Amino acid sequence: MQPKGSSPLFAADAWQLASEQHDNSNTLLEETLFALANGYLGTRGTLEEGSPEEDVSCEGTYLNGVYHSEPITYGEVAYGYASHNQKMLQVPNGKAMQFSLEGERIGSHHASSSRRWLNFKDATFNRDMRWQSQSGKQITLTSRRFASLATPNLLALRTYITADNFSGRIMLNSALDADYGFSADKTDPRAGQLNMADSLNLHRVAVEENQLLLQHQVKDSTFVISTLVDHHFSQSPVSVSFERSEKCPALTYEFELKQGETLIVEKYVLYHHRRQGDLADMAVQQQQTMQDILGQGWQSLLDVHHSKVSDFWQSSDVEIEGDAPLQQGIRFNLLHLFMSAGKDGHSNMGAKGLTGHGYDGHYFWDTEIYILSFLSATNPDIARKCLEYRYHTLDGARKRAREMSHKKGALYPWRTIGGDECSAFFPAGTAQYHINAAIAHAIRHYYQASGDWAFIRDFGAEMLFETARLWLDLGHFNPRNGGAFCIDGVTGPDEYTAIVNNNFYTNAMARSHLRFAVDVADKLKNQVPVVFDRLCKQLNLQAEEINDWQQAAEKMYLPYDDDLGINKQDDSFLDKKPWDFASTPAQHYPLLLHYHPLVIYRHQVLKQADVILAMYLLDEAFSKDLKKRNLAYYEPLTTHDSTLSSCIHSIEFAEIGEYARAYEFFKDTVRMDIDNRHGNTEYGIHTACMAGSWMGIVNGFGGLRIRHQQLHFAPHLPAHWTAFSFHLHCLGRRLKVRVENKQVRYELLQGEPLRIFHHRHPVMLQPQQPVSVELKTEALL
Amino acid sequence: MQPKGSSPLFAADAWQLASEQHDNSNTLLEETLFALANGYLGTRGTLEEGSPEEDVSCEGTYLNGVYHSEPITYGEVAYGYASHNQKMLQVPNGKAMQFSLEGERIGSHHASSSRRWLNFKDATFNRDMRWQSQSGKQITLTSRRFASLATPNLLALRTYITADNFSGRIMLNSALDADYGFSADKTDPRAGQLNMADSLNLHRVAVEENQLLLQHQVKDSTFVISTLVDHHFSQSPVSVSFERSEKCPALTYEFELKQGETLIVEKYVLYHHRRQGDLADMAVQQQQTMQDILGQGWQSLLDVHHSKVSDFWQSSDVEIEGDAPLQQGIRFNLLHLFMSAGKDGHSNMGAKGLTGHGYDGHYFWDTEIYILSFLSATNPDIARKCLEYRYHTLDGARKRAREMSHKKGALYPWRTIGGDECSAFFPAGTAQYHINAAIAHAIRHYYQASGDWAFIRDFGAEMLFETARLWLDLGHFNPRNGGAFCIDGVTGPDEYTAIVNNNFYTNAMARSHLRFAVDVADKLKNQVPVVFDRLCKQLNLQAEEINDWQQAAEKMYLPYDDDLGINKQDDSFLDKKPWDFASTPAQHYPLLLHYHPLVIYRHQVLKQADVILAMYLLDEAFSKDLKKRNLAYYEPLTTHDSTLSSCIHSIEFAEIGEYARAYEFFKDTVRMDIDNRHGNTEYGIHTACMAGSWMGIVNGFGGLRIRHQQLHFAPHLPAHWTAFSFHLHCLGRRLKVRVENKQVRYELLQGEPLRIFHHRHPVMLQPQQPVSVELKTEALL
């Protein structure tokens, strides 16, 4: 077990995360936590005036799905290696604003008081600051910013600046900065490296009254991006000067303020990109959008943005009563998930959302296994968009399958933005064939929640079939193992073991994938034979092949150890030397930063849930006793060096009734980023872990499982909580569940009447007629 | 099985390799084959005048053990990865000479006849050429060069140039070129990339009458190199001009020739390096050496060089009568091995010798398992020097062991020059822990051949103990496997399988290593207790640890499959899907250039001998039937994509009496480079394969095995040969064995009387009294 983070850095408010700290020790962390995004654009919570030089700060504004392609250098290359990395692009920073008074820069770092906070209710980043010049002139500055959830291209900033005790001139330098970078720790493979100059070619710069324009061509790619800034002031400046710099065009204004007077400055930044296109044409359209924005004005723009956030809370809020830090933590997490999720069908959610350049902004299986678990059950429309993204990259997955010598089918990349494999270390990348199963699982889960048959028919089936057929070529019916279907040479979720035979998780998930593909094929054939026939023709899919899927699923080998009575993580895991935890100093975690992969690989040690994750995802395939034995064996071998681990352990410990352990893992999950428990939130949030905190509530303490297409709950209220509640979209209905001290209230908010199960006892729910039942103390199983 | 090379490119001469080809299709190949070396300096067989532009040529002169250190770039880095590559350095090309007549360049490429040949008897590269100018003036040019085996710093060239049918002026531009490079195919991981400009900083250039000097500091290293050229002419030039270029200083001479007159030009190039030092001081010493060289003169220099080569043939020649191509092939191979071997105790033998930049000039296990097999039995003094090199890099191996988290012991690098691990892909690099066993095996083999106890006492024991103790930390006594000693997470010799548990070869070699270490410890303790105690103190080695080695050896797990009755290559190999050879097109070999490693890893397919290699090296541990079954199972799964494979298969097929197959593999081995059978001799010769051809004669058709410290022969004469013979240094004696049609003649050339075994029957050998015995037809086993 690794050492846990220290005491909380932030006060526990239910609807905000606020900081009044003055030192610079947490600057990078705050920049991540205070980041704003809307699924398209994301910007770190850096301050408008930037950071003093002595401070370590990381500027960053990103567009989801927009990347720079860069050749991967290998010390020793081999056939089929990923050739290029797709790195999330840094786009110009439109937040840049420096107020000054008589040559002195106004900013938080020399302020007498400064408070910054993320408001969860309206997804705004705010600041209140009081500042004094050396001659005693006092300024009060209040600012607010949001990345509009109604107009995804818009970042809006408003600043109020008051001359408290003097009359005089205030200067404002407002810039569009395309010359920032950051060099992260190169020895940490989890940190990305980004540098704007490496990725952007300037196409055009324009500076006009109140406006700044930068247009760029992304190097080694066809992407073009256009960034337009406009300003609106509560009073006219007394002077304006222009700085037509290619790297950082700027406008400098001078305002005359009377004592007690407040100047309001609004800055609107529009980001647009195209996969390829005419930048001149884009500029024209962008101007029209800007005029529209200015016409609407700040309050109206904020109102529609706020209303989108309110809708989100309406469908997704989780209440934890009696535990303020966890209440704050989970709302913080859910808001970031909402802000980070790609919503256009051509983007997804990075492991770090849009809050930092960690992992180069790549998408992993995190979306499908963790994040879509939350989105499908609260915002199925967004979940569908994330799955459509995978559909739109299906051709890339087909190409990758050919590169990997599979004659048919599709292999999704382990890490990517645009759809090409970007993993530069295949044993912990391409070898994770379970990515295909993850996508199939997410499709099944989304369909379960939404009942969206049209999606299956139009997109899902094709993805399912193309990914399912790959298993048959990857694995084989092994005569030496009684004809069981075996899958060799893969890596499971636990990256502390690599390239093994019959990874239990992979095989079990492949079985589920194959069975679902067979079911969908049957249903499609029966319900829309024309569509089925067309698809079969298109994919050259024969009935025999679908029969093979069935056979492989039925004969899938799931390694089990008779002596220990547990599932084997893979064929050889249990035969390895156990890791010597007693001799591992606390500072040697995470192991991956202190031991060569070979040292880790040859020991029984896990980075994260593997068999345990299968237990959660494929719940029905395990007996209660087997779950207990698996947990008892594997958890003590698990370092939880991955943030994907604690949530799954929380859920599974809850399931077997070990609530104290469940609670500890849940706390770790919920407060992962706020408390910077893994010490790397500086590089960005951990979106999968955030989604895991929702799963911890709903599937953990709520005890939700879907068994035989029915909802089973087994709620448990942790000792010092007074209540918790959550919303749920499932089987085409919307529900709210509230767990209190003595009772559980189930409410069918929307949809047809539904029979659910409370600790195995049926409860009939009618629309708008909440049912309260007794809270039992027994565990789910 | 991969397709074999096409028909021979060279005439089959017993003592030379000659080419009269004019086209440029084989230029790179000839440059490799005609390379000269003396263990310290090596230079490719490029022509003095270079190559016309349309030709693909690769210049290269190298100093053994001298390298340029270059950071390794990883797409995804992890703890403990090799940080720098040590690339064999390109040093200035002192061969460069361009003769011209009336502005026309004289060279092989526009010659009316040109013959180049490597003379095996004196290790010289020679050329005869006739050339005509556009106006019909004819030149005859004869040249000769050698890398002195008596004076390792010296490369000497002599050219005779005759004005056949005219009187007139001949120009000579003689240069020292430090501005050449070559860009190899970047998609082939076996090809190295070298570029002089990246590695050398000029320190000093000097051009004086007849002399050229270049002194360089090697970038990112403390190495300094100094290159001095001097000339001697049979007549004085009528003019000289100087070109003091930093990249390519040169002298241009003009000579007046009468019709029929011959000008003789001698060029002497001295290469010196120091690990660090004063270049001015080096220049002074180099000048003194040059004066000495000039004082001796061409013929005297050539004579002492020739005498060294004659000595080599005296101790090492192999005769194959009745098969001219194989006679030529094996002598070509042996000469190259002699020329390539480092002889100073601080260098070794690269996989490509000093003939090209393939594998960046790195040393691998090839030296210990293949090359020292030959050298120990023919030139034990050189074998000792190669082992001393390993002793001198023992501290680096200790450091590497610490990086790999082993608390004690030494782990030799998989590939290196200076002693640091240079492998940029650890699954086929650092994971090959069997490198330690290879070094132990070579020490044992050298000791067996030479009886050199002083080496064991002073160097060998320390290496053995430090490498032996690593196995105990690497492996573990596995209670799930009856307490057997298991070694997990390693890669065996066959790189088409990686990171497996209980690789048979590794475990078997570790057992042999541990047993030998225990034996040496016992002997040292008994014979020189003071030395033993001092060493134990130095290494903090306790009696219990040596006892642990014994235990691990006794309990070593050697995987065996009862059903198939064969040794398992590793725990999981036999459970994988067999490779589909029937569907693999001929052009898809070698597989590594056409399939992703994961595709290869998950199939039963071998690149090279693995279990079969263990059978050869650890002969006594296998029954005859087991050897047959292993061969029958593994050979059909082996692509022999590695040139290390065919020789071992030749020996083992000979052992079980399948002589036709043995002969085919032997032919492939012997003619590997001359016929360019793997299509990559352009990058350099295959030294291990060359040594394998010697093993094919001695251990294959000679049937030599050392069992219980006794020599066992079981000779077989391939069908169309009339005889073969070889020399042998073993058990402190020198022997000659000649196998004829009906009989075998054993001759003890030197040393005490010896009882040997001929097909299990004892034969007593007395000095200088050859014994002839009947040639049997039965196989060794």
Side-chain angles (χ1 to χ4, degrees), chain B residues 383-615:
Chain B
R384 177 174 168 144
K385 286 296 170 190
C386 287
L387 290 172
E388 283 179 16
Y389 157 82
R390 291 292 191 184
Y391 183 79
H392 289 131
T393 57
L394 181 56
D395 275 343
R398 289 187 174 108
K399 183 171 137 269
R400 183 64 183 156
R402 296 303 90 71
E403 287 168 2
M404 295 302 293
S405 301
H406 300 293
K407 292 187 184 63
K408 49 190 177 180
L411 174 60
Y412 277 96
W414 178 245
R415 53 192 295 177
T416 189
I417 297 178
D420 291 341
E421 176 65 273
C422 295
S423 170
F425 179 59
F426 75 82
T430 299
Q432 299 202 46
Y433 272 79
H434 64 86
I435 179 78
N436 266 9
I439 292 168
H441 175 85
I443 293 171
R444 184 161 70 98
H445 192 261
Y446 165 74
Y447 178 50
Q448 222 163 37
S450 65
D452 183 358
W453 171 245
F455 173 79
I456 299 292
R457 186 193 59 210
D458 299 340
F459 305 104
E462 186 176 344
M463 282 194 274
L464 281 170
F465 297 168
E466 281 290 81
T467 48
R469 66 202 318 189
L470 205 84
W471 295 117
L472 273 289
D473 193 44
L474 181 68
H476 63 125
F477 295 96
N478 187 358
R480 287 174 56 96
N481 197 354
F485 192 78
C486 294
I487 299 174
D488 299 330
V490 301
T491 299
D494 167 33
E495 294 175 352
Y496 282 175
T497 293
I499 315 184
V500 293
N501 301 336
N502 294 307
N503 168 254
F504 176 86
Y505 173 89
T506 304
N507 287 20
M509 290 293 284
R511 181 173 72 167
S512 165
H513 180 177
L514 289 165
R515 284 177 173 166
F516 184 50
V518 170
D519 288 350
V520 166
D522 281 351
K523 191 168 175 187
L524 206 62
K525 191 174 172 180
N526 294 331
Q527 299 206 351
V528 271
V530 179
V531 173
F532 180 73
D533 290 345
R534 194 181 55 217
L535 192 56
C536 287
K537 204 166 175 184
Q538 178 198 329
L539 305 181
N540 192 22
L541 179 64
Q542 315 288 336
E544 304 85 67
E545 193 176 347
I546 298 172
N547 187 50
D548 288 345
W549 301 349
Q550 180 89 46
Q551 285 301 308
E554 294 323 309
K555 299 205 156 191
M556 185 66 70
Y557 177 59
L558 297 175
Y560 182 83
D561 187 82
D562 287 323
D563 293 338
L564 294 169
I566 61 170
N567 298 113
K568 291 158 78 167
Q569 179 166 322
D570 58 65
D571 278 354
S572 66
F573 184 84
L574 298 178
D575 291 319
K576 295 181 185 174
K577 187 169 17 177
W579 185 268
D580 183 2
F581 287 96
S583 305
T584 307
Q587 67 273 22
H588 278 197
Y589 295 91
L591 301 184
L592 66 96
L593 297 187
H594 300 92
Y595 299 90
H596 190 282
L598 281 171
V599 179
I600 297 173
Y601 291 171
R602 71 170 175 267
H603 287 92
Q604 287 193 49
V605 60
L606 290 81
K607 185 181 174 198
Q608 65 200 88
D610 201 279
V611 168
I612 306 305
L613 178 59
M615 279 171 24

Side-chain angles (χ1 to χ4, degrees), chain A residues 76 424 473 480 561 575 577, chain B residues 76 424 473 480 561 575 577:
Chain A
E76 289 176 46
D473 193 43
R480 287 172 57 95
D561 187 81
D575 291 320
K577 187 172 10 179
Chain B
E76 289 176 46
D473 193 44
R480 287 174 56 96
D561 187 82
D575 291 319
K577 187 169 17 177

Side-chain angles (χ1 to χ4, degrees), chain B residues 508-781:
Chain B
M509 290 293 284
R511 181 173 72 167
S512 165
H513 180 177
L514 289 165
R515 284 177 173 166
F516 184 50
V518 170
D519 288 350
V520 166
D522 281 351
K523 191 168 175 187
L524 206 62
K525 191 174 172 180
N526 294 331
Q527 299 206 351
V528 271
V530 179
V531 173
F532 180 73
D533 290 345
R534 194 181 55 217
L535 192 56
C536 287
K537 204 166 175 184
Q538 178 198 329
L539 305 181
N540 192 22
L541 179 64
Q542 315 288 336
E544 304 85 67
E545 193 176 347
I546 298 172
N547 187 50
D548 288 345
W549 301 349
Q550 180 89 46
Q551 285 301 308
E554 294 323 309
K555 299 205 156 191
M556 185 66 70
Y557 177 59
L558 297 175
Y560 182 83
D561 187 82
D562 287 323
D563 293 338
L564 294 169
I566 61 170
N567 298 113
K568 291 158 78 167
Q569 179 166 322
D570 58 65
D571 278 354
S572 66
F573 184 84
L574 298 178
D575 291 319
K576 295 181 185 174
K577 187 169 17 177
W579 185 268
D580 183 2
F581 287 96
S583 305
T584 307
Q587 67 273 22
H588 278 197
Y589 295 91
L591 301 184
L592 66 96
L593 297 187
H594 300 92
Y595 299 90
H596 190 282
L598 281 171
V599 179
I600 297 173
Y601 291 171
R602 71 170 175 267
H603 287 92
Q604 287 193 49
V605 60
L606 290 81
K607 185 181 174 198
Q608 65 200 88
D610 201 279
V611 168
I612 306 305
L613 178 59
M615 279 171 24
Y616 165 62
L617 295 173
L618 306 168
D619 158 72
E620 292 173 84
F622 301 81
S623 74
K624 174 178 178 173
D625 284 345
L626 178 55
K627 284 187 176 180
K628 282 187 174 177
R629 290 194 303 268
N630 282 340
L631 263 174
Y633 190 86
Y634 286 108
E635 196 287 323
L637 299 175
T638 306
T639 62
H640 306 291
D641 284 346
S642 163
T643 61
L644 307 190
S645 194
S646 58
C647 57
I648 304 303
H649 281 83
S650 172
I651 296 167
E652 289 305 294
F653 274 117
E655 182 167 348
I656 64 166
E658 290 198 30
Y659 294 117
R661 300 219 59 193
Y663 179 78
E664 283 308 310
F665 278 114
F666 180 71
K667 213 170 84 179
D668 211 37
T669 306
V670 175
R671 301 279 305 183
M672 187 66 73
D673 285 322
I674 290 183
D675 296 343
N676 196 11
R677 291 189 171 220
H678 277 221
N680 65 355
T681 294
E682 292 86 343
Y683 308 138
I685 56 170
H686 298 83
T687 52
C689 182
M690 289 175 155
S693 66
W694 183 88
M695 289 149 64
I697 281 289
V698 176
N699 306 104
F701 297 125
L704 170 66
R705 297 291 185 281
I706 300 170
R707 291 180 177 149
H708 308 294
Q709 295 295 313
Q710 291 174 323
L711 296 184
H712 286 256
F713 293 92
H716 165 82
L717 186 71
H720 64 282
W721 296 5
T722 52
F724 70 92
S725 71
F726 56 87
H727 296 79
L728 197 66
H729 201 122
C730 198
L731 307 180
R733 281 89 165 176
R734 282 190 54 236
L735 284 84
K736 183 173 180 180
V737 179
R738 181 174 166 85
V739 181
E740 295 172 356
N741 193 14
K742 304 260 183 212
Q743 63 169 17
V744 183
R745 205 175 85 127
Y746 296 98
E747 186 176 359
L748 181 61
L749 301 175
Q750 196 183 311
E752 301 291 303
L754 177 71
R755 190 179 65 162
I756 63 161
F757 292 84
H758 173 82
H759 287 285
R760 285 196 214 86
H761 300 293
V763 177
M764 199 64 208
L765 299 185
Q766 302 291 343
Q768 313 300 340
Q769 295 175 18
V771 179
S772 288
V773 292
E774 191 191 349
L775 177 64
K776 302 200 176 177
T777 52
E778 65 172 302
L780 172 59
L781 279 167

Side-chain angles (χ1 to χ4, degrees), chain A residues 651-713:
Chain A
I651 295 167
E652 290 305 295
F653 274 116
E655 183 168 345
I656 65 166
E658 290 198 29
Y659 293 117
R661 299 218 62 191
Y663 179 79
E664 283 308 310
F665 279 114
F666 180 71
K667 213 170 86 179
D668 211 36
T669 306
V670 175
R671 301 279 305 183
M672 187 66 73
D673 284 323
I674 291 184
D675 295 343
N676 197 11
R677 291 190 170 220
H678 277 221
N680 66 355
T681 294
E682 292 86 343
Y683 307 139
I685 56 171
H686 298 82
T687 53
C689 182
M690 288 176 155
S693 66
W694 183 87
M695 289 150 64
I697 281 288
V698 176
N699 306 105
F701 296 124
L704 170 67
R705 296 292 184 281
I706 299 171
R707 290 179 178 148
H708 308 295
Q709 294 297 311
Q710 292 173 321
L711 296 184
H712 286 256
F713 293 92

